[in-house]
Amino acid sequence: MSSVRRAIGSVLKKIFFRPPFVKHSVQTIYKSLQGSIYLHQSNILGDWLQEAHYLVIILENIQNSDGGFDTDYNYHFGSDLLHRKGQSLACETTALTVIGQYRGIDPGEDLDGFISSGLDWIKRNSVRKDKGVYTIPYCPDIVNDTIILNGISFTAAAMGKILKDNDDTGKEIYRGMISFLKNNMVISSDSGGRYWPYFEQGSSVISENEKKKIDYYHLAQQVEVHAIAQQQMPLDEQYEIIKNGADHLVHIHHENGIIPYDNMGLFDGCIHTWGLSSVIPAMIEASKIISENRSEEHTSELQSRQS
């Protein structure tokens, strides 16, 4: 009987819990492109430049008509909000960051139209919260609230990587988003750097319980993209973001032995390889930014305590 029940369960699972078909998820494409770029730069055996070029073509073809980018499947975020396939997302602007990295290995390829469309989408959907402070809705087609903070990180970092020197409007939004992010970092009660809650704390569409969530894997990805942007277009406030975010991840690692998905036991504490592996490039990119200044900072901090 047990074998029959397992067989029936397997059939039902395939019918009712079948994963959606996704031909080209933008996340998979731009992360594969980023990997190909790094392999090419490391002189790993294989024609990684050609592979990168192939992936760029796919990325161009799946850019939405409004200039944004989409996961290509439906999913819920928050309690009652549904992102539908085809709706552009702030969190997927990382595609522009990676295109900026690609230009570093193949500057001759004409990607101006692709980049310009993506930047126009960002500018149209950016929201001025206060003087010198900007944000962007996670999914502008659904709601005008910020909701998820990592969308601002990914968008700001994309701008820092690809903005031209004469784009004053873009620079204002870039600086404004970094200011917003710095202001929304939370000090760790046990002195382990700072972090962002997953959800914006002032959101009216997210429950108080949901607002407690801290997503460590997305925090790592945020640190990574900010560090990439900082190498291209540095800002003092962004440096503070990178240092505090990296310090908090190191603290969580020391405290737990291994970095969990989040602070609320999501997925019963299981480790997701995509997330844990995101910590590696975060630490690599952050070390390029903070290592040279670290000894000076510690000396200054020690002196201030002694005075």
Side-chain angles (χ1 to χ4, degrees), residues 19 22 34 37 43 62 78 84 89 95-96 123-124 146 156-157 189 193 222 224 228 234 241 243 246 269 286 300 304:
V22 179
Q34 191 177 48
I37 292 167
N43 296 314
I62 63 174
R84 294 190 179 278
L89 295 158
L96 295 169
K123 291 175 181 177
R124 285 197 311 273
T146 302
S189 59
Q222 289 171 265
E224 177 195 3
I228 290 171
I241 282 173
K243 182 184 70 171
S300 176
S304 66

Side-chain angles (χ1 to χ4, degrees), residues 162-173:
I162 62 176
L163 281 174
K164 294 180 179 179
D165 290 338
N166 61 354
D167 190 344
D168 293 334
T169 299
K171 287 181 178 179
E172 179 185 349
I173 295 171

Side-chain angles (χ1 to χ4, degrees), residues 79-152:
S79 299
D80 303 311
L81 299 171
L82 174 64
H83 160 267
R84 294 190 179 278
K85 177 179 177 179
Q87 294 174 324
S88 295
L89 295 158
C91 59
E92 302 309 340
T93 51
T94 299
L96 295 169
T97 301
V98 179
I99 284 295
Q101 292 180 294
Y102 175 73
R103 277 192 151 179
I105 64 170
D106 190 5
E109 187 160 348
D110 183 11
L111 295 168
D112 287 348
F114 175 87
I115 292 172
S116 179
S117 293
L119 277 175
D120 285 346
W121 183 87
I122 292 172
K123 291 175 181 177
R124 285 197 311 273
N125 291 288
S126 296
V127 178
R128 186 176 183 269
K129 300 283 282 188
D130 201 351
K131 184 178 180 181
V133 178
Y134 282 83
T135 182
I136 190 167
Y138 180 78
C139 186
D141 286 348
I142 296 177
V143 64
N144 204 39
D145 283 9
T146 302
I147 302 181
I148 298 177
L149 292 173
N150 64 49
I152 309 171

Side-chain angles (χ1 to χ4, degrees), residues 184-230:
N184 279 271
M185 287 195 103
V186 177
I187 300 175
S188 176
S189 59
D190 43 18
S191 302
R194 300 187 182 209
Y195 62 88
W196 290 287
Y198 186 73
F199 293 107
E200 184 187 17
Q201 298 302 284
S203 175
S204 60
V205 296
I206 300 298
S207 72
E208 292 305 309
N209 186 58
E210 287 174 313
K211 289 178 182 178
K212 298 176 184 177
K213 177 182 175 181
I214 308 167
D215 184 328
Y216 299 118
Y217 294 160
H218 278 97
L219 175 60
Q221 292 183 329
Q222 289 171 265
V223 168
E224 177 195 3
V225 294
H226 282 299
I228 290 171
Q230 184 72 358

